[in-house]
């Protein structure tokens, strides 16, 4: 798991990127405290501080290109921070497969200013300045209209985690290497003080006076990032939701079909819809397997502990007999009236030459207790299946990659989502197909892009189809 934030700024950079940097520092401090207490992560965590982000995402991109093979073989997710605080509304973006991870972690974090709410509720926050009672008749800019539409969409969406386009260090991870990624931070709403992005006014004064007096939002973002990092690094089965992703792809297709209708481009997408439906079904089957394995590993862990304890007991009995220890039961009543027994071995450790003369108290356990225990090979088999599932989940996003990339900008290889050709940072779903319709206005090219997407979706379906030994 890689967690990253850039450290360079255009000028003062109090929000961009210093607000994200201090949240990263808090994450480092928290992980350090856990390590000192004896904790070790289940998955390796890499903490990255990128340079030269403002001049073309240079630091992260060069690193991603230099170590592409290693990243694709080992990295399961990239969690990005950039501007963690510049306004009132909590903006959440990420790969759809991580949307539930983002949401559930945000629900577990308190709201920075309202104890009756959670951080998840902050996605609907407004700024301190009251809006006009009505926008009817107002001469609103295109940017304001887009903001209004965006806020309305967030209010109506079940899980308002927007797709990632570009504009920060997740770009190489997602768009080039196919690593599931996230990005979040408090941004401005239409009723916030104006944030002077990439200017000399992005200052400490702006933070203290307008963006986050008291810096409670910074604390909340650090807690959210920390919880996400722990959950994805500690989960036995990766918390990657391919079913939500698959359903989102059907939504993407509907948007593309609407674009084709609006632009009077005749495109047959029936083969793509059929492939997506098969992907949904494959993901649902995998969900069933994941649930079964989660239940089995819980039972197996308990049975394995029972098995190991029973085997240790038998070994102690064998040692007892070989050394001539005289077994003796030593019952006594505990606080709940249950019989307890114990073994006293310290005497042998201190004076083994007197062992035959010592009393050794043995546990009252029958060898028949081993009958219901889970042997080690069965436990290992379950863990091997879980490992295979997690590998498939971790490789899922890479299934969207095309070696030939997107027309006119081949560096972008993700055919599921990419920054729009003329949208700046904004994300475009099914970018190559969407732009064949809206930019090229070419039905033949659109048909070719439908075929490429069908191949991609079939690859994704294959990725989610486990070996024959993994049956629901």
């Amino acid at each position: 798991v890689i967690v990253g934030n850039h450290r360079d700024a255009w000028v003062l950079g109090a929000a961009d990127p210093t607000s994200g940097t201090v949240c990263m520092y808090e994450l480092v401090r928290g992980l350090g405290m856990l390590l000192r207490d004896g904790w070790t992560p289940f998955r390796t965590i890499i903490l990255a501080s990128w340079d030269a982000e403002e001049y073309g995402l240079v630091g992260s991109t060069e690193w991603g290109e230099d170590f592409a093979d290693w990243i694709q073989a080992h990295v399961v997710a990239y969690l990005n921070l950039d501007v963690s605080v510049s306004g009132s509304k909590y903006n959440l973006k990420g790969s759809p497969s991580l949307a539930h991870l983002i949401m559930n972690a945000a629900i577990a974090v308190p709201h920075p200013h309202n104890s009756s709410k959670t951080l998840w509720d902050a996605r609907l926050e407004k700024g301190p300045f009251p809006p006009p009672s009505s926008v009817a008749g107002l001469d609103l800019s295109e940017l304001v209209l887009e903001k209004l539409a965006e806020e309305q969409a967030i209010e109506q969406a079940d899980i308002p985690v927007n797709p990632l386009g570009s504009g920060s260090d997740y770009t190489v991870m997602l768009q080039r290497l196919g690593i599931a990624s996230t990005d979040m931070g408090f941004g401005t709403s239409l009723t916030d003080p104006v944030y002077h992005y990439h200017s000399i006014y992005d200052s400490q004064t702006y933070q203290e006076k307008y963006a986050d007096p008291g810096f409670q939002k910074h604390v909340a973002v650090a807690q959210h990032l920390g919880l996400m990092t722990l959950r994805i690094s500690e989960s036995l089965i990766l918390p990657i939701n391919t079913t939500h992703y698959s359903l989102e792809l059907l939504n993407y297709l509907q948007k593309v079909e609407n674009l084709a209708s609006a632009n009077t481009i005749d495109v047959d997408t029936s083969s793509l819809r059929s492939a997506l439906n098969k992907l949904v079904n494959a993901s649902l089957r995998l969900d069933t397997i994941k649930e079964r394995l989660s239940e089995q590993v819980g039972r197996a862990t308990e049975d394995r502990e029972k098995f190991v304890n029973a085997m240790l007991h038998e070994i102690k009995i064998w040692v007892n007999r070989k050394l001539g220890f005289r077994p003796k039961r030593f019952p006594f009543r505990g606080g709940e009236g249950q019989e307890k027994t114990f073994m006293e071995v310290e005497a042998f450790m201190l004076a083994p030459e007197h062992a035959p003369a010592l009393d050794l108290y043995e546990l009252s356990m029958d060898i028949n207790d081993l009958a219901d225990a889970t042997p080690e090979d069965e436990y290992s088999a379950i863990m091997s299946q879980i490992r295979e599932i997690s590998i498939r989940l971790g490789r899922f996003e890479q299934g969207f990659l095309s070696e030939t990339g997107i027309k006119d900008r081949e560096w972008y290889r993700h055919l599921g989502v990419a920054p729009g050709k003329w949208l700046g940072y904004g994300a475009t779903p099914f970018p190559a197909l969407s732009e064949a319709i809206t930019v090229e206005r070419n039905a033949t090219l659109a048909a070719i892009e439908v075929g490429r997407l069908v191949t991609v979706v079939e690859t994704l379906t294959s990725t989610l189809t486990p070996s024959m030994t993994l049956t629901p």
Side-chain angles (χ1 to χ4, degrees):
V1 180
I2 300 179
V3 187
N5 162 254
H6 75 92
R7 63 179 180 270
D8 63 306
W10 275 115
V11 194
L12 300 177
D16 181 9
T18 305
S19 63
T21 303
V22 297
C23 293
M24 276 283 291
Y25 283 177
E26 279 300 289
L27 171 65
V28 172
R29 190 169 68 89
L31 293 177
M33 292 176 67
L34 289 174
L35 288 169
R36 283 192 292 274
D37 286 341
W39 168 82
T40 54
F42 186 63
R43 294 180 178 88
T44 301
I45 299 170
I46 295 177
L47 302 169
S49 174
W50 309 116
D51 196 6
E53 188 267 1
E54 299 294 5
Y55 300 90
L57 314 178
V58 175
S60 57
T61 300
E62 291 298 315
W63 189 81
E65 291 177 340
D66 286 349
F67 298 99
D69 292 343
W70 182 88
I71 292 169
Q72 290 184 309
H74 297 286
V75 178
V76 297
Y78 173 67
L79 310 182
N80 187 69
L81 272 189
D82 195 327
V83 181
S84 69
V85 182
S86 66
S88 300
K89 182 166 64 75
Y90 199 41
N91 297 316
L92 302 163
K93 297 180 180 181
S95 300
S97 58
L98 297 176
H100 283 79
L101 173 72
I102 295 169
M103 178 183 69
N104 292 331
I107 290 173
V109 175
H111 189 284
H113 300 303
N114 189 334
S115 59
S116 65
K117 295 182 178 181
T118 70
L119 184 59
W120 179 247
D121 298 316
R123 72 195 190 281
L124 303 175
E125 288 293 313
K126 307 291 185 184
F129 298 114
S133 57
S134 173
V135 296
L138 296 179
D139 184 18
L140 301 177
S141 70
E142 184 177 340
L143 179 61
V144 170
L145 291 174
E146 288 178 2
K147 275 275 192 179
L148 285 171
E150 178 186 312
E151 291 182 1
Q152 290 172 359
I154 289 174
E155 292 173 358
Q156 296 169 3
D158 293 331
I159 305 177
V161 176
N162 294 322
L164 291 165
S166 185
S168 195
D169 294 298
Y170 54 77
T171 302
V172 66
M173 299 296 176
L174 178 63
Q175 309 294 351
R176 183 71 183 172
L177 303 179
I179 304 300
S181 302
T182 68
D183 186 53
M184 64 269 192
F186 282 91
T188 55
S189 69
L190 289 171
T191 57
D192 271 299
V194 174
Y195 167 53
H196 293 269
Y197 179 59
H198 284 176
S199 80
I200 196 170
Y201 301 104
D202 184 0
S203 64
Q204 183 77 0
T205 299
Y206 176 82
Q207 282 288 359
E208 293 177 349
K209 190 172 182 179
Y210 299 111
D212 193 15
F215 294 93
Q216 295 305 309
K217 294 174 188 173
H218 287 72
V219 173
V221 175
Q223 291 173 333
H224 189 203
L225 178 66
L227 196 53
M228 287 172 55
T229 302
L230 290 176
R231 288 184 175 180
I232 200 165
S233 65
E234 292 295 282
S235 298
L236 197 58
I237 299 177
L238 279 171
I240 288 178
N241 191 329
T242 56
T243 299
H244 178 70
Y245 207 148
S246 303
L247 294 172
E248 279 294 286
L249 294 177
L250 285 169
N251 291 334
Y252 292 177
L253 177 58
Q254 186 60 55
K255 292 178 181 178
V256 168
E257 290 174 343
N258 293 342
L259 287 175
S261 177
N263 288 271
T264 62
I265 302 293
D266 185 17
V267 183
D268 182 5
T269 59
S270 59
S271 59
L272 179 54
R273 184 170 292 276
S274 175
L276 287 172
N277 286 329
K278 292 178 181 178
L279 176 63
V280 171
N281 290 332
S283 184
L284 289 171
R285 287 194 296 271
L286 187 65
D287 286 344
T288 302
I289 295 172
K290 285 158 59 179
E291 291 175 8
R292 176 180 61 80
L293 287 174
S294 294
E295 294 172 358
Q296 286 185 346
V297 77
R299 291 195 300 267
T301 300
E302 295 177 1
D303 291 343
R304 183 171 179 257
E305 290 176 357
K306 181 192 296 185
F307 181 80
V308 170
N309 289 336
M311 288 301 297
L312 287 173
H313 168 70
E314 293 303 314
I315 291 171
K316 289 173 182 178
I317 290 178
W318 182 85
V319 171
N320 177 19
R321 289 170 180 163
K322 287 294 183 181
L323 295 176
F325 283 16
R326 190 157 41 85
K328 176 180 178 182
R329 297 194 182 279
F330 187 81
F332 67 94
R333 295 288 174 181
E336 298 179 359
Q338 297 179 345
E339 181 179 283
K340 296 183 178 180
T341 58
F342 64 91
M343 297 188 71
E344 194 172 293
V345 296
E346 290 86 351
F348 171 71
M349 299 298 295
L350 292 171
E353 67 276 11
H354 300 305
L358 298 175
D359 288 336
L360 185 68
Y361 303 106
E362 78 174 57
L363 295 169
S364 56
M365 179 180 288
D366 196 311
I367 188 63
N368 293 325
D369 291 342
L370 291 174
D372 297 327
T374 301
E376 188 71 18
D377 56 350
E378 183 177 342
Y379 182 82
S380 297
I382 294 171
M383 296 304 293
S384 295
Q385 293 178 27
I386 288 175
R387 182 176 184 272
E388 179 183 337
I389 293 293
S390 287
I391 289 173
R392 290 177 180 275
L393 293 172
R395 301 291 179 270
F396 180 75
E397 194 84 35
Q398 294 181 35
F400 287 96
L401 300 183
S402 166
E403 286 301 317
T404 55
I406 299 172
K407 183 179 181 296
D408 297 335
R409 46 201 180 115
E410 290 76 12
W411 186 89
Y412 291 94
R413 300 194 300 174
H414 199 295
L415 296 188
V417 66
K421 191 169 187 177
W422 307 115
L423 294 181
Y425 297 160
T428 296
F430 291 158
L433 175 56
S434 295
E435 289 165 6
I437 295 168
T438 60
V439 178
E440 303 295 333
R441 301 183 61 81
N442 186 325
T444 302
L445 179 59
I448 293 172
E449 294 301 343
V450 168
R452 286 214 295 166
L453 281 171
V454 169
T455 301
V456 161
V457 174
E458 289 174 348
T459 300
L460 295 171
T461 302
S462 176
T463 300
L464 296 186
T465 304
S467 63
M468 295 300 293
T469 57
L470 299 179
T471 54

